[in-house]
Amino acid sequence: MGKIQIDGVRPGMILASDVRERGGRVLLTAGTEVIERHLEIFKKWGVVEADIEGADQEEQPAEALETWPPDLVLAVEQEVRTQFQHNDSSHPAIKELLKLSVRQRLRNASRRGMQ
C-alpha cells in the first residue's frame, strides 16, 4: 500500500483505503477498481492523493524541476508566487500548492510548445 498523487493514479488500480473529499465524505470505498470516471470525480472534489494497493511512494517518479529550462522554471515560479503573495508560503499546504502550481504551469507551457 502507498499513497500516491492523484496524477499518478491510473484506471485499473485498486484502492487500499477509502477515498474521501476534504469534508470527510467517502467518494469511493477501499477495494474498488479505479476507472477513468473516478479520476474525474477525484479532481472535481479536490482529492490530491489515493492509497493504492501494491503502490510504494518511493516508486513514484519525481518530476524534477531540473528537467525544465532554468529560465522557464524561474519565470513560472515568480508568476505563481505573485498569485500566492497574500498567503503564508511557510504553511505546508501553501508550499504544496505552490509546488503543484509550478509543475502544472510547466506542463501546460510544454504542451503549448514554450519549452
Side-chain angles (χ1 to χ4, degrees), residues 24-63:
R25 183 179 349 173
V26 174
L27 298 177
L28 213 55
T29 58
T32 302
E33 182 177 335
V34 176
I35 61 174
E36 191 66 38
R37 177 74 178 129
H38 297 147
L39 298 174
E40 294 169 16
I41 291 169
F42 295 161
K43 289 179 182 178
K44 287 179 184 174
W45 282 93
V47 175
V48 295
E49 63 184 13
D51 194 9
I52 302 295
E53 286 185 5
D56 186 6
Q57 223 168 3
E58 285 75 42
E59 292 175 6
Q60 291 189 81
E63 187 179 9

Side-chain angles (χ1 to χ4, degrees), residues 11 16 21 27 50 60-61 81 105 109 111:
E21 51 95 10
L27 298 177
Q60 291 189 81
R81 288 199 180 278
R105 284 178 188 245
R111 288 186 194 118

Side-chain angles (χ1 to χ4, degrees), residues 53-101:
E53 286 185 5
D56 186 6
Q57 223 168 3
E58 285 75 42
E59 292 175 6
Q60 291 189 81
E63 187 179 9
L65 293 179
E66 293 81 28
T67 61
W68 300 96
D71 56 331
L72 178 61
V73 173
L74 183 60
V76 169
E77 284 177 339
Q78 289 174 344
E79 181 181 320
V80 169
R81 288 199 180 278
T82 300
Q83 291 184 319
F84 282 81
Q85 66 184 339
H86 300 294
N87 294 282
D88 177 6
S89 62
S90 66
H91 190 281
I94 300 300
K95 277 184 182 179
E96 186 66 16
L97 282 172
L98 284 164
K99 183 172 67 174
L100 292 171
S101 295

